[in-house]
Amino acid sequence: MFGLAIDRLSKTYQGQPAVDAVSLAIPHGQFVCFLGPSGCGKTTLLRMIAGLEAPTSGSISLNGRDITQDPPNVRKFGMVFQSLALFPHLTVGENVAFSLRLQGRTGSERRDRVDALLKLVRLSGLEKRAIGELSGGQRQRVAIARALAQEPQVFLLDEPFSALDAKLREEMQAELRQLQEQLKITTILVTHDQREAMTLADSIVVMGEGRIQQHGAPSDVYRAPANRFVANFVGLSNLLQVEVLDRQTVRLGERVLTVTPMPEAGLGARAVLSIRPENVQLADPAAPCVDSNTVVGRIASIRDMGANMEVQLDCDGGRLLTVVRSREWIGAVAGEEARVWLPKEDCRVFGA
Amino acid sequence: MSLAPPAAKPRRQGEGLAQAVILAGPAIFLAAFCVTPLVLLVQLSLSHHQDGGLWSPGFELTQYRALGEPTFLRVVGFSLALAASAAALTLSLAFPAAYFISRMRRRAQVAWLVFILGALSLSEVLIVFAFQVLLSSGGALVKALVDLGLMAAPQSLYPNLGAVLVGLVYLVLPYVILFLYPAVSRLDEEMPQAAATMGASPLRTFFLVTTPLMRGPLVSAAALVVIFTVSSYLTPLVLGRPENWTVGVHLSNTALDAGDMPLAAAQAVLLVTAVVGLLGLVRWIGGQRAPA
């Protein structure tokens, strides 16, 4: 296959699996995000791809060639570390030219390439600066330019933007995406920020407990989470305890709700219904109360978030439902009764 | 690195007094046991030499003129070269040792550090005479070399320059490993890894990234070895030939054998000045382009 292929890759630390039999194919030129909470194995997986960590079992191949035994300096996948790991004893230009110097390129070749790369990351003219004189965003760009200098086959980034403030982070994300489209280089970015993953990636690999929980396009992962873990981790979800009646119906308290057909896998009687807050619709109070997919509750609290309103609904004793809808709730007061409609196609049921 | 002066704090009354009382102890100790002997030494070096190990008070530069003698300058030059060689040898052993110890598992690290600390508990006298026994023609090392066929007939491996160097390196090695260990432990593991992802072999990573990052501690460690060995006395005396003797040995000969106390004092003043000058030089090198 043209691209990066990972086959049943595992890494065990003192008997504890950090990465557990992960298989994954990344086509050439794709931008993939490994998304997951801390300790899910995403960084370990990235480090195994870079060659910095030896897998316990499994294999990695690039364009059909097995590279599992190749050390990092043979793979030469450009990598941006979380700490950036810029060399403080070298200037900006010397940092960017580090891989070129190792390749034995001449001085003028190096200068031209450094000029081009610094232009690419919009740092022209700063090659003589010391690393200590740069701002956070500038360091980020130097780290990216340095990793790209060797024209790597695969470009790896380990939570590169986590230290930046929100505004700068979004700027850097947009720049990285542009750069990646321009260079068409296979890119893997590790993050725990689902917004970052959603906005940057062609496809998202959601990881939890050392395994891939779901791999798909950002919109698919968001709209159709494969399991409870993904529903809970990617975006906000209401998770409600329900009783399974058949493949398409569940009981929530006294109400029977129709849901997206469940996979064949035998779910127990007890299960979890997941629905995104923004998919919960305010039902027309005038409509007759016959639609089985409505739920009645008492408004516990309302938060005005500017563009949206967030409403906590207490329905059927103790269950709280977070609903975010634009302006529909203006006029509602805490303590009032409200009726909400849960569209069938947005209700998914997972094993508890 | 910038050491900005701390912002002026409003002083509470009595704080100054407390500070003075706390600092008085060390200050008195330093004055009594360091500054006073130094002043006496300088005074002695300016006195007039009389036969029979005696001297009379005076103020003359005869002794300092005598420092310019070629034989003494040769000894000074040899001492500096010996100290520099010892520093180079020690660092080339201690730096990798400290690096690998800092990368071991916690338990192994502790075991190694305790072992190295243990080596420090032996006195210099014991170590030097143990080396004398080990390197002698009847010693275990020579026997082993003969048995292995690497040496035709038993012959003593001392006194010579090599024996002096081995002895000195052995004496300072534990200090230097323990000195470098904290700095090496703090080294950001991602720096060499970043170099590896850019195509640097482990060896090139070591020379292009790890060593430059450790420049400050390495220069300080080298200074430590030089200062420790430039004035060494017992090791060159026991394990070396007369031509391997350092300033320290000559100084002692001047004072005790020739009985010229003022000249010995002048030689000592020169040694102290050289060491202080060296420390200044190290500070200056360390301050240049220090890692951010």
Side-chain angles (χ1 to χ4, degrees):
Chain A
M1 191 198 88
F2 204 51
L4 193 70
I6 293 164
D7 187 32
R8 279 166 291 140
L9 202 65
S10 294
K11 176 75 184 177
T12 313
Y13 290 111
Q14 287 155 5
Q16 293 290 104
V19 171
D20 193 2
V22 163
S23 294
L24 183 64
I26 300 171
H28 177 77
Q30 245 204 10
F31 196 138
V32 178
C33 278
F34 292 174
L35 175 65
S38 56
C40 72
K42 57 191 192 299
T43 294
T44 306
L45 181 57
L46 190 82
R47 289 172 58 84
M48 285 196 283
I49 293 171
L52 297 171
E53 213 83 61
T56 311
S57 64
S59 69
I60 305 170
S61 58
L62 182 69
N63 302 335
R65 199 178 74 79
D66 190 325
I67 58 163
T68 318
Q69 300 305 323
D70 288 357
N73 54 310
V74 173
R75 294 185 202 187
K76 289 201 268 184
F77 293 173
M79 180 151 170
V80 175
F81 289 79
Q82 192 169 7
S83 70
L84 301 184
L86 293 173
F87 302 139
H89 60 287
L90 302 178
T91 63
V92 168
E94 287 165 344
N95 262 285
V96 175
F98 190 83
S99 62
L100 306 172
R101 193 161 62 141
L102 291 170
Q103 289 167 9
R105 304 272 196 93
T106 65
S108 67
E109 267 182 317
R110 291 207 300 258
R111 257 193 307 282
D112 292 347
R113 185 97 180 98
V114 168
D115 282 347
L117 282 159
L118 288 182
K119 198 172 164 206
L120 194 69
V121 296
R122 303 198 287 125
L123 284 180
S124 291
L126 294 189
E127 61 265 30
K128 292 276 186 301
R129 291 278 184 91
I131 296 302
E133 295 170 343
L134 302 181
S135 70
Q138 286 173 328
R139 286 178 198 218
Q140 208 84 54
R141 295 201 182 103
V142 174
I144 290 171
R146 186 179 71 168
L148 291 175
Q150 56 192 328
E151 297 178 48
Q153 304 224 49
V154 181
F155 182 32
L156 308 170
L157 301 103
D158 184 9
E159 308 227 13
F161 306 133
S162 56
L164 301 180
D165 63 65
K167 193 166 171 293
L168 192 56
R169 187 169 5 176
E170 281 187 16
E171 271 176 39
M172 289 302 303
Q173 286 165 357
E175 272 180 42
L176 177 64
R177 179 76 238 202
Q178 261 183 355
L179 202 62
Q180 197 270 340
E181 276 167 4
Q182 208 176 324
L183 300 173
K184 300 199 172 40
I185 181 170
T186 311
T187 303
I188 304 173
L189 183 138
V190 160
T191 183
H192 63 267
D193 177 355
Q194 49 109 2
R195 257 175 73 96
E196 184 165 287
M198 298 281 302
T199 51
L200 282 176
D202 295 318
S203 74
I204 294 181
V205 174
V206 183
M207 291 193 64
E209 289 162 348
R211 279 187 222 105
I212 294 180
Q213 304 288 339
Q214 189 170 4
H215 181 194
S219 54
D220 291 344
V221 171
Y222 189 81
R223 289 206 194 97
N227 56 34
R228 184 182 173 170
F229 180 90
V230 177
N232 203 19
F233 188 75
V234 181
L236 293 170
S237 286
N238 291 293
L239 296 174
L240 307 167
Q241 293 289 341
V242 292
E243 190 188 326
V244 178
L245 300 178
D246 62 47
R247 272 194 70 216
Q248 294 201 49
T249 50
V250 295
R251 189 196 297 280
L252 172 70
E254 281 142 30
R255 302 236 149 223
V256 172
L257 301 176
T258 315
V259 298
T260 306
M262 301 169 210
E264 315 297 315
L267 289 175
R270 284 164 50 78
V272 168
L273 183 147
S274 153
I275 183 167
R276 299 279 182 203
E278 68 269 24
N279 291 333
V280 177
Q281 315 256 347
L282 180 63
D284 186 354
C289 190
V290 288
D291 184 349
S292 63
N293 269 25
T294 61
V295 172
V296 177
R298 197 168 292 282
I299 298 172
S301 69
I302 301 174
R303 275 207 301 163
D304 191 338
M305 310 183 45
N308 296 312
M309 308 278 279
E310 191 187 273
V311 178
Q312 301 267 337
L313 211 58
D314 189 353
C315 42
D316 282 343
R319 276 186 284 260
L320 284 171
L321 195 61
T322 319
V323 183
V324 184
R325 297 299 294 163
S326 55
R327 300 290 144 192
E328 282 174 19
W329 289 86
I330 287 177
V333 190
E336 269 182 9
E337 230 174 48
R339 196 146 59 94
V340 291
W341 174 48
L342 312 178
K344 156 184 168 233
E345 61 276 16
D346 296 321
C347 293
R348 287 168 188 281
V349 176
F350 308 119
Chain B
M1 265 194 294
S2 71
L3 286 173
K9 275 186 293 184
R11 260 173 187 251
R12 242 182 286 154
Q13 225 172 2
E15 199 175 296
L17 183 72
Q19 217 169 40
V21 169
I22 291 166
L23 289 178
I28 291 168
F29 188 87
L30 266 179
F33 298 106
C34 185
V35 177
T36 313
L38 204 62
V39 170
L40 291 176
L41 190 73
V42 172
Q43 196 189 20
L44 179 59
S45 74
L46 297 168
S47 304
H48 182 71
H49 165 60
Q50 287 180 335
D51 283 337
L54 301 172
W55 67 91
S56 58
F59 188 89
E60 54 181 56
L61 294 172
T62 330
Q63 280 72 241
Y64 286 93
R65 277 188 216 107
L67 293 182
E69 271 178 32
T71 37
F72 182 70
L73 286 183
R74 204 191 57 76
V75 171
V76 171
F78 170 78
S79 297
L80 288 174
L82 180 71
S85 320
L89 262 173
T90 309
L91 283 191
S92 61
L93 292 173
F95 184 30
Y99 184 81
F100 286 116
I101 290 172
S102 73
R103 263 59 191 166
M104 287 175 183
R105 269 195 254 133
R106 195 86 216 148
R107 197 177 282 227
Q109 284 192 29
V110 171
W112 272 99
L113 293 177
V114 167
F115 172 67
I116 291 164
L117 273 172
L120 287 179
S121 66
L122 298 174
S123 87
E124 184 186 353
V125 178
L126 202 68
I127 290 169
V128 170
F129 286 109
F131 264 104
Q132 199 182 24
V133 173
L134 182 73
L135 299 175
S136 67
S137 55
L141 189 60
V142 171
K143 269 191 191 138
L145 286 174
V146 171
D147 288 348
L148 288 170
L150 294 170
M151 196 185 263
Q155 64 186 95
S156 178
L157 292 170
Y158 87 101
N160 55 42
L161 181 62
V164 175
L165 265 177
V166 168
L168 287 177
V169 169
Y170 184 88
L171 282 171
V172 292
L173 194 60
Y175 290 101
V176 176
I177 292 176
L178 292 175
F179 179 87
L180 288 176
Y181 172 75
V184 174
S185 305
R186 277 196 304 272
L187 189 78
D188 183 355
E189 194 60 10
E190 291 194 338
M191 294 281 182
Q193 290 178 352
T197 62
M198 284 183 276
S201 65
L203 199 67
R204 292 184 94 175
T205 302
F206 187 79
F207 285 111
L208 291 177
V209 177
T210 315
T211 307
L213 285 175
M214 293 297 296
R215 205 179 71 143
L218 286 175
V219 169
S220 303
L224 190 78
V225 179
V226 168
I227 289 164
F228 202 92
T229 54
V230 80
S231 57
S232 58
Y233 173 77
L234 193 64
T235 312
L237 187 67
V238 174
L239 297 176
R241 293 176 197 282
E243 64 263 32
N244 309 136
W245 287 352
T246 52
V247 182
V249 181
H250 276 260
L251 202 156
S252 141
N253 287 347
T254 311
L256 302 176
D257 297 348
D260 192 341
M261 293 300 270
L263 181 58
Q267 291 173 344
V269 170
L270 180 83
L271 195 59
V272 171
T273 314
V275 167
V276 171
L278 194 75
L279 278 175
L281 190 71
V282 166
R283 274 201 73 117
W284 183 72
I285 294 172
Q288 302 282 95
R289 211 175 148 185

